[in-house]
Amino acid sequence: MVGITAYGAYVPMLRLSLSAIGGGAPKPGGPEKAVANWDEDAVTMAVAAATDALRGIDRSTVDAVLFASTSYAFKEKQGAAIVAKALDLRRDVYTADLGDTLRAGTNALRAAYDMVKAGSAKRVLVTVGETRMAAPRTGLEAAIGDGAAAFLVGDEGVALAITAAHSISDEIIDVWRTEGDPFVHAWEDRFVVDHGYRTCVKEAVTGLLQKAGLTPKSVTRAVFYGPDARSLGTVAKECGLDPKTQLADPLFGKVGNCGAAFAPLLLASALAQTKAGETLLLASYGDGADAFVLEATPQVERLEGQRGVAWHLARRGEFRSYDMYLRFRQLLATEHDRRAGAGLSATKHFRDRDSDVTLLAQKCTQCGQAQFPRQRVCFQCYAKDAFEPIRLSDRVGTVKSFTFDNFAGSPNPPLVAGIVDVEGARLYLQMTDVDPKEVKLGMPVELTFRKIHEAGGTPNYFWKSTPLR
């Protein structure tokens, strides 16, 4: 039996009211979409979702990492390698990126399933992150949201067994983005839905059910990618499903369509409500369609209590205005990039990557004192070269001091920074996803992988603190 043994999800804290996109005032309680903070991107969100998936799991048992995204910043540098390093995985872990299609997330899930089934890996981490953009004040901008999901695929402790899979490939120019183009484009809606989405998903689901020997009535819950509520309901009916009782919540008006991460995020959301013995049907779309049958085992109850989509939806902040959103995305014509800094030295990055990307500190083997950054002499007992590494990224810290910097290069001043105690080590960290009014001494914080700045077109990553919620 091969399938999902653990899962994680990530929805950025910030929300943009859809009424603000249309030129109106933000409407509390109205439809909205999730938007990545200015220091987040596909990689940082994928790391957050994967961290959630790996809680309580020995990370040395992960054999491979597959990272999927259509909005990854680099064109020639592997995102999966950054994710693996940030998660402190083994150096001999296999890494690969998948992209260029809305199906990239389920393409990665299928690849992980095939790897474990073939015996080339025991545990494969699939993580998907998206921060796509559409042109300002367009219908597509209102539809697109940001998010990430992660799954650990293996053959032991399987909570959701993948019992059948079916894919079709199709060539159609419906949704696309070219090299160097910041915005997603789409052809006329009816053409996209009728000739692309409906045709492909129906064909993939029908073929899958025939292959698995199942009927639509045997499906407990259908997790379908959908461009909008009406098209989603139509496809469900055409597949023989009851949209009212069998469709999983598509999160329209809550998160938005997060591209390659959309179907995986919906699956993570559905997993939180799944009981043993239930049958899920997963379908994604993009240049064809992928479909899976997943059977829940008694192990699914082991995953209860894990952070999921509902936890992230409850953790929220709002953009005060549409202009603020445009500033975060660098879409105001008169705005210079306030995120740019002094640039990134590749030599220094290579030398410091254990500290900067993995957030490895050191612990004195003589007195147990943790220290960061690493050094040769323990400041507590003066022992020399007597340290062992300790990963701080998944620990909870405490705020020891803080400051509000209104002159720093932040699109949302003040920049909050300060000293955080993590396992006895003192770290100087910026704080993110925080209202300055809630910052206080002794406040518990967790660590999150973010961008510090961009320079020369490349993001510079490090860890920040965020209030423990």
Side-chain angles (χ1 to χ4, degrees), residues 20 128 177-178 218 293 371 390 437 459:
V128 196
R177 182 163 55 92
T178 59
S218 58
V293 172
Q371 302 175 43
I390 175 176
K437 295 178 182 177

Side-chain angles (χ1 to χ4, degrees), residues 385-415:
D385 295 331
F387 298 99
E388 59 184 9
I390 175 176
R391 184 178 63 239
L392 300 181
S393 61
D394 52 354
R395 313 296 171 92
V396 174
T398 305
V399 174
K400 292 298 181 182
S401 70
F402 61 89
T403 185
F404 299 148
D405 190 342
N406 285 285
F407 298 98
S410 169
N412 186 31
L415 184 150

Side-chain angles (χ1 to χ4, degrees), residues 302-351:
R302 172 176 52 82
L303 305 181
E304 291 181 357
Q306 200 158 354
R307 276 184 185 176
V309 174
W311 185 91
H312 284 287
L313 290 178
R315 184 196 69 132
R316 63 195 306 285
E318 297 176 356
F319 280 101
R320 294 190 297 272
S321 67
Y322 184 64
D323 280 355
M324 185 180 182
Y325 160 78
L326 295 177
R327 194 159 63 243
F328 273 42
R329 291 295 174 101
Q330 298 185 74
L331 293 175
L332 283 179
T334 57
E335 184 77 9
H336 65 279
D337 182 6
R338 301 190 67 188
R339 304 178 301 184
L344 174 65
S345 163
T347 304
K348 189 175 188 308
H349 170 74
F350 179 82
R351 191 169 58 231

